[in-house]
Amino acid sequence: MHLRYDYYASPDADRDFPDVIHCQVGRGNIAVSDPTKDLIERMQPELIVFCGIAGGINGREGIAVGDLVVPPFIHYCSFAKLSKRGRQTRFVPYDHPSIRLHRYHVAHIGYDWRERNRKDPVGGKKFRGCKVLTDSSIVAGDKIFGDPTSEEQRWVVRNFDDAVAIDMESAGVCTAVAASRDNPSYNPRLLVVRCISDMIDAKGNNSQRKENKPAAADIASAFVHELVSEFLDEEPDTRLR
């Protein structure tokens, strides 16, 4: 069912309360923020799950290509002041992923996911046994990081030492969710799911990302399908009662 040029639902979806997929074709936090706010305004979803790919930071939690990161915290690294004192991070208001969803859904699905993928991997044999990291953060920036000699990349890795991955959109989605909280009776919950397509300090990083992007996207979407299916079974939308 084609709801709008960038919103999709299955043909047999409930027309009044469909499960909607929004395909974001732009890259960067600014590019995704306004479309996300538009989606929230039009659809009023109870659950917002943002999924896609990310670059892994080598040496953090044993992360590797094919691993999933479902972070409880998002850092935004691109807003900063440059002065004689160096670079000082500045901040913008945005939501972080739901603690309740992490506690009651993500944790046990992540454990079962790895055990199943040891035998029947999603995305191909090279991703066998992919981990699901749920306690580590993600850094969202506005650049593609893939050069270990870059001073900015080294600064990000050094200053966000709890992060295992970097993407370009999560903070934009989180900002849109925060900006949409203008009604006390509407409380959308948020999750971010990213699959590692490349390691940011790997030789041939760009080629690695291009090669692994399709499989990494499949892994992220398969995990989200399982997560959302369980959520809908166990936590029906109270607005439908």
Side-chain angles (χ1 to χ4, degrees):
M1 179 168 58
H2 193 186
L3 302 175
R4 195 169 172 263
Y5 71 95
D6 50 0
Y7 305 153
Y8 298 89
S10 65
D12 57 349
D14 185 319
R15 298 193 66 88
D16 294 322
F17 300 98
D19 302 327
V20 176
I21 297 174
H22 169 52
C23 179
Q24 175 57 50
V25 296
R27 289 192 293 181
N29 293 288
I30 295 174
V32 305
S33 184
D34 283 344
T36 303
K37 284 189 285 188
D38 180 60
L39 172 69
I40 294 172
E41 181 180 349
R42 289 173 178 269
M43 300 297 176
Q44 295 284 285
E46 182 186 13
L47 172 64
I48 300 164
V49 184
F50 181 63
C51 78
I53 64 172
I57 301 176
N58 196 32
R60 304 274 174 90
E61 302 296 332
I63 197 164
V65 170
D67 287 346
L68 282 160
V69 184
V70 190
F73 193 91
I74 307 294
H75 299 285
Y76 181 48
C77 68
S78 294
F79 189 26
K81 177 182 178 180
L82 305 180
S83 68
K84 293 181 180 179
R85 296 173 54 194
R87 175 174 178 153
Q88 293 107 49
T89 302
R90 293 294 183 262
F91 305 95
V92 294
Y94 54 83
D95 272 27
H96 292 283
S98 164
I99 294 174
R100 177 182 170 83
L101 293 181
H102 267 267
R103 182 176 299 159
Y104 292 105
H105 297 287
V106 174
H108 77 269
I109 290 178
Y111 177 79
D112 293 342
W113 175 271
R114 181 170 188 181
E115 292 305 306
R116 290 200 310 273
N117 273 269
R118 292 178 191 274
K119 303 175 182 177
D120 186 20
V122 176
K125 291 184 178 179
K126 67 179 177 179
F127 296 132
R128 185 180 297 277
C130 60
K131 299 186 294 297
V132 182
L133 304 177
T134 60
D135 296 324
S136 302
S137 66
I138 275 183
V139 178
D142 291 306
K143 299 179 178 67
I144 298 175
F145 290 105
D147 177 11
T149 68
S150 162
E151 178 56 36
E152 182 169 4
Q153 179 170 312
R154 288 189 301 211
W155 182 89
V156 170
V157 172
R158 183 173 64 249
N159 283 274
F160 298 99
D161 61 338
D162 64 321
V164 296
I166 299 177
D167 73 10
M168 295 177 61
E169 295 88 16
S170 291
V173 172
C174 294
T175 301
V177 174
S180 300
R181 294 190 182 280
D182 57 0
N183 185 332
S185 64
Y186 177 53
N187 180 39
R189 283 178 281 178
L190 169 68
L191 279 176
V192 173
V193 178
R194 307 297 261 182
C195 184
I196 302 302
S197 61
D198 58 284
M199 304 303 292
I200 64 169
D201 60 348
K203 184 177 181 180
N205 164 272
N206 194 51
S207 298
Q208 187 184 51
R209 183 170 56 255
K210 288 181 178 179
E211 177 186 355
N212 295 323
K213 184 186 296 185
D218 283 348
I219 292 170
S221 59
F223 184 86
V224 167
H225 179 269
E226 186 168 333
L227 178 71
V228 171
S229 297
E230 177 181 296
F231 176 84
L232 293 174
D233 286 340
E234 297 188 5
E235 300 195 30
D237 193 335
T238 57
R239 294 173 296 177
L240 305 184
R241 296 172 184 171

